[in-house]
Amino acid sequence: MTIEQSTEIKFILSTGKEIELKSALGVFTPNATTNLLIQAVKDTIVAPTNLLDLGCGTGVVGIALHLDGLISTPLYASDLSQSAVHCSRENFVRYGCSADVRGGSLFEPWFGEKFDVIVDDISGIAQSVADVSPWFQGVPCDTGEDGADLVVEIIRNAPQYLNEGGYFFFPVLSLSNVDKLLRVAKEKFAIVERVGRQDWPLPKELKAHMPLLQRLHKEGSIKLEERFGMVLCYTEVYCATNPY
C-alpha cells in the first residue's frame, strides 16, 4: 500500500481518549459498535489475556485493550482485507503492541489454534441494507439477506477456537436477524449473556430506503422500533461462555 492510498483517522474511545489510526479504502471505519465491544471486554476481563481480534480492521479494538493492559502479547488479529492487515500492523507498531496479524476469511488463518478471548467485529447487517448504507464503502460485506450469514458461521465455529473457560464476544445489530443469531448462539454455548446495549436513530442515509427496511422488518430479517416519533435501531454485545 502506498502512502497516497492510506489516510489518517482519529477515533474517540468512550473514555474520551483519542486514538490516531492509519486507514485506507476498503478498511472498515470504527464506530459506536466498536466502542461498545471494547467496553464490554473491559467490563469482563480483569487481567492480561490471550486474545483474538477477528475482523480487526484498523486494529483499534486490540490497541484500546492493549493500552488498558488487558492483552497478553502478542495480540492476535486477522481480517479478510489485505489493506486492513497492512494498516493494523502499522497501527500496532505505532502503539507498541506486539501483534500477530494475518489475512484471511473468518477463522481460516487460525486453524488449530485456541484463545482465551475472541472478539468478533465482523460485518453483521442485512446485505441489502449494507449496500445502501454509509458504512461499507469498499468494505466486503457478504452477509446474506438477513445479515446473519457470517456471524452464524463465526458463532458455530468459535467453540473449537476457545480455550477452556474462554470468552466469546460478539455484537448483534437490529439491522440483522437478531432472533436467528441468538438462537444459534444458545445452541452452541450454555451461557449467552448480554453485556452491552446502545439505541441509535436510523441514519438519514437510510431513511430514503424505508420501503426496503419495512419489507425486511415484516419478513423478520431486521428489527425496527418507533419511539418518540423516531425510527430506532440498536446494537447489543453478548458474551458467550461454556460451549457445548
Side-chain angles (χ1 to χ4, degrees):
M1 182 190 302
T2 66
I3 295 175
E4 290 76 18
Q5 291 174 311
S6 63
T7 185
E8 293 285 329
I9 64 173
K10 295 181 179 180
F11 183 65
I12 309 296
L13 298 174
S14 56
T15 58
K17 181 177 178 60
E18 181 178 274
I19 295 181
E20 296 184 358
L21 300 160
K22 175 163 285 188
S23 189
L25 183 66
V27 180
F28 191 79
T29 301
N31 56 21
T33 297
T34 310
N35 257 328
L36 206 59
L37 267 173
I38 292 168
Q39 192 60 50
V41 178
K42 288 170 59 176
D43 288 344
T44 307
I45 306 302
V46 297
T49 190
N50 166 272
L51 184 142
L52 170 62
D53 181 1
L54 197 64
C56 59
T58 60
V60 66
V61 171
I63 290 169
L65 297 173
H66 163 72
L67 292 175
D68 278 332
L70 294 176
I71 299 295
S72 176
T73 55
L75 166 70
Y76 299 92
S78 61
D79 202 289
L80 178 63
S81 163
Q82 286 301 318
S83 294
V85 170
H86 182 94
C87 289
S88 287
R89 284 175 177 158
E90 292 202 22
N91 291 329
F92 291 138
V93 169
R94 176 183 298 187
Y95 284 93
C97 178
S98 173
D100 180 349
V101 189
R102 305 182 189 182
S105 176
L106 308 183
F107 284 110
E108 181 182 88
W110 308 106
F111 181 75
E113 302 198 39
K114 290 181 180 289
F115 309 91
D116 296 327
V117 175
I118 298 173
V119 180
D120 163 38
D121 196 12
I122 287 176
S123 308
I125 71 171
Q127 177 74 59
S128 54
V129 177
D131 290 343
V132 298
S133 80
W135 304 311
F136 293 90
Q137 300 177 18
V139 180
C141 185
D142 189 14
T143 55
E145 182 65 9
D146 66 356
D149 287 4
L150 295 180
V151 182
V152 162
E153 186 173 349
I154 292 166
I155 293 170
R156 285 178 172 159
N157 286 287
Q160 64 183 292
Y161 293 92
L162 274 180
N163 285 321
E164 185 175 353
Y167 299 85
F168 170 54
F169 294 89
F170 65 100
V172 170
L173 276 68
S174 60
L175 293 177
S176 67
N177 192 329
V178 173
D179 294 338
K180 178 193 289 187
L181 295 174
L182 295 180
R183 183 175 67 251
V184 172
K186 290 173 183 177
E187 289 171 355
K188 302 299 291 185
F189 291 88
I191 300 174
V192 180
E193 179 184 9
R194 191 178 78 184
V195 290
R197 176 176 169 123
Q198 182 173 353
D199 295 326
W200 39 279
L202 186 73
K204 62 181 181 180
E205 294 90 345
L206 292 181
K207 289 180 181 178
H209 302 278
M210 281 307 298
L212 167 66
L213 299 179
Q214 289 168 341
R215 175 178 66 80
L216 293 172
H217 174 74
K218 185 176 181 180
E219 294 171 353
S221 296
I222 68 172
K223 289 182 182 290
L224 298 175
E225 299 179 359
E226 292 191 32
R227 280 184 276 155
F228 316 115
M230 297 188 299
V231 178
L232 296 177
C233 306
Y234 64 84
T235 303
E236 295 178 334
V237 174
Y238 286 84
C239 179
T241 56
N242 295 11
Y244 293 116

